[in-house]
Amino acid sequence: MSQTLAAVTGSLSSVGYGLSAIGPGVGVGIIFGNGTQALARQPEAAGLIRANQILGFAFCEALALIGLVMPFVYPSS
């Protein structure tokens, strides 16, 4: 006698995107956390620190967007 505990239906692409969004989320937190510490230690370098924060944020968000697009490029069967 076989019992099914849980059945997975639908596309697993959404699960893959959810897992791929963890990395950029952690990256953004690290970028802005360390940027805040750097601004507290050296307020005179605010322009340079802010520019580097924005650049790092853009790279992290690009990874999230790539993770969003990949399930559509390579759909699961």
Side-chain angles (χ1 to χ4, degrees):
M1 180 173 192
S2 172
Q3 293 181 351
T4 302
L5 294 176
V8 178
T9 60
S11 176
L12 290 178
S13 299
S14 58
V15 174
Y17 174 66
L19 292 174
S20 71
I22 293 172
V26 170
V28 168
I30 290 171
I31 287 168
F32 286 110
N34 289 337
T36 303
Q37 286 182 2
L39 284 171
R41 291 173 189 235
Q42 269 187 320
E44 65 274 5
L48 180 63
I49 293 168
R50 191 170 295 120
N52 286 334
Q53 276 184 321
I54 292 171
L55 185 63
F57 176 75
F59 285 142
C60 282
E61 287 302 312
L63 288 176
L65 290 174
I66 289 171
L68 177 66
V69 171
M70 282 301 120
F72 295 110
V73 174
Y74 300 109
S76 60
S77 301

